[in-house]
mmCIF file of all heavy atoms in Angstrom:
data_model
loop_
_atom_site.group_PDB
_atom_site.id
_atom_site.type_symbol
_atom_site.label_atom_id
_atom_site.label_comp_id
_atom_site.label_asym_id
_atom_site.label_seq_id
_atom_site.Cartn_x
_atom_site.Cartn_y
_atom_site.Cartn_z
ATOM 1 N N THR B 229 28.573 1.830 22.053
ATOM 2 C CA THR B 229 28.494 3.304 21.869
ATOM 3 C C THR B 229 28.712 3.588 20.447
ATOM 4 O O THR B 229 29.791 3.438 19.898
ATOM 5 C CB THR B 229 29.556 4.018 22.780
ATOM 6 O OG1 THR B 229 29.362 3.612 24.128
ATOM 7 C CG2 THR B 229 29.384 5.468 22.665
ATOM 8 N N ALA B 230 27.676 4.006 19.753
ATOM 9 C CA ALA B 230 27.738 4.239 18.250
ATOM 10 C C ALA B 230 28.324 5.634 17.974
ATOM 11 O O ALA B 230 29.106 5.800 17.078
ATOM 12 C CB ALA B 230 26.326 4.115 17.622
ATOM 13 N N VAL B 231 27.920 6.618 18.799
ATOM 14 C CA VAL B 231 28.481 7.961 18.685
ATOM 15 C C VAL B 231 29.004 8.421 20.064
ATOM 16 O O VAL B 231 28.275 8.303 21.045
ATOM 17 C CB VAL B 231 27.363 8.932 18.212
ATOM 18 C CG1 VAL B 231 27.958 10.321 18.063
ATOM 19 C CG2 VAL B 231 26.761 8.448 16.876
ATOM 20 N N ASP B 232 30.272 8.775 20.106
ATOM 21 C CA ASP B 232 30.917 8.941 21.434
ATOM 22 C C ASP B 232 31.332 10.383 21.700
ATOM 23 O O ASP B 232 32.443 10.742 21.543
ATOM 24 C CB ASP B 232 32.128 8.039 21.476
ATOM 25 C CG ASP B 232 32.575 7.767 22.900
ATOM 26 O OD1 ASP B 232 32.032 8.369 23.818
ATOM 27 O OD2 ASP B 232 33.510 6.983 23.087
ATOM 28 N N GLY B 233 30.327 11.176 22.084
ATOM 29 C CA GLY B 233 30.581 12.537 22.507
ATOM 30 C C GLY B 233 31.213 13.472 21.501
ATOM 31 O O GLY B 233 32.246 14.109 21.701
ATOM 32 N N ILE B 234 30.604 13.570 20.297
ATOM 33 C CA ILE B 234 31.147 14.428 19.261
ATOM 34 C C ILE B 234 30.537 15.800 19.346
ATOM 35 O O ILE B 234 29.491 16.071 19.835
ATOM 36 C CB ILE B 234 30.850 13.799 17.830
ATOM 37 C CG1 ILE B 234 29.349 13.758 17.522
ATOM 38 C CG2 ILE B 234 31.505 12.466 17.618
ATOM 39 C CD1 ILE B 234 29.083 13.442 16.076
ATOM 40 N N ASP B 235 31.399 16.807 18.853
ATOM 41 C CA ASP B 235 31.002 18.168 18.724
ATOM 42 C C ASP B 235 30.938 18.477 17.245
ATOM 43 O O ASP B 235 31.965 18.273 16.553
ATOM 44 C CB ASP B 235 32.020 19.103 19.416
ATOM 45 C CG ASP B 235 32.067 18.863 20.880
ATOM 46 O OD1 ASP B 235 31.021 18.537 21.487
ATOM 47 O OD2 ASP B 235 33.157 19.076 21.468
ATOM 48 N N VAL B 236 29.820 19.012 16.787
ATOM 49 C CA VAL B 236 29.699 19.318 15.370
ATOM 50 C C VAL B 236 28.967 20.672 15.205
ATOM 51 O O VAL B 236 28.057 20.927 15.994
ATOM 52 C CB VAL B 236 28.884 18.218 14.599
ATOM 53 C CG1 VAL B 236 28.736 18.646 13.166
ATOM 54 C CG2 VAL B 236 29.578 16.902 14.652
ATOM 55 N N GLU B 237 29.359 21.440 14.264
ATOM 56 C CA GLU B 237 28.664 22.675 13.961
ATOM 57 C C GLU B 237 28.505 22.827 12.442
ATOM 58 O O GLU B 237 29.531 22.677 11.771
ATOM 59 C CB GLU B 237 29.386 23.885 14.545
ATOM 60 C CG GLU B 237 28.469 24.982 14.935
ATOM 61 C CD GLU B 237 29.133 26.013 15.905
ATOM 62 O OE1 GLU B 237 29.960 25.582 16.763
ATOM 63 O OE2 GLU B 237 28.889 27.187 15.679
ATOM 64 N N VAL B 238 27.300 22.997 11.990
ATOM 65 C CA VAL B 238 27.096 23.139 10.580
ATOM 66 C C VAL B 238 26.494 24.493 10.273
ATOM 67 O O VAL B 238 25.525 24.892 10.978
ATOM 68 C CB VAL B 238 26.173 22.005 9.980
ATOM 69 C CG1 VAL B 238 25.895 22.207 8.522
ATOM 70 C CG2 VAL B 238 26.740 20.661 10.229
ATOM 71 N N HIS B 239 27.103 25.203 9.347
ATOM 72 C CA HIS B 239 26.615 26.633 9.089
ATOM 73 C C HIS B 239 25.575 26.642 7.972
ATOM 74 O O HIS B 239 25.579 25.783 7.069
ATOM 75 C CB HIS B 239 27.840 27.490 8.686
ATOM 76 C CG HIS B 239 28.864 27.415 9.664
ATOM 77 N ND1 HIS B 239 28.789 27.745 11.036
ATOM 78 C CD2 HIS B 239 30.212 26.964 9.538
ATOM 79 C CE1 HIS B 239 29.905 27.521 11.616
ATOM 80 N NE2 HIS B 239 30.773 27.023 10.792
ATOM 81 N N ARG B 240 24.751 27.651 8.026
ATOM 82 C CA ARG B 240 23.735 27.794 6.986
ATOM 83 C C ARG B 240 24.385 27.968 5.615
ATOM 84 O O ARG B 240 25.324 28.694 5.454
ATOM 85 C CB ARG B 240 22.879 29.002 7.295
ATOM 86 C CG ARG B 240 21.685 29.232 6.402
ATOM 87 C CD ARG B 240 20.846 30.416 6.831
ATOM 88 N NE ARG B 240 20.090 30.148 8.059
ATOM 89 C CZ ARG B 240 18.912 29.523 8.046
ATOM 90 N NH1 ARG B 240 18.343 29.071 6.925
ATOM 91 N NH2 ARG B 240 18.258 29.320 9.205
ATOM 92 N N GLY B 241 23.817 27.228 4.656
ATOM 93 C CA GLY B 241 24.259 27.391 3.265
ATOM 94 C C GLY B 241 25.403 26.482 2.889
ATOM 95 O O GLY B 241 25.732 26.485 1.674
#
Side-chain angles (χ1 to χ4, degrees):
Chain B
T229 304
V231 180
D232 198 356
I234 63 170
D235 295 329
V236 177
E237 210 164 323
V238 177
H239 309 299
R240 187 176 287 278

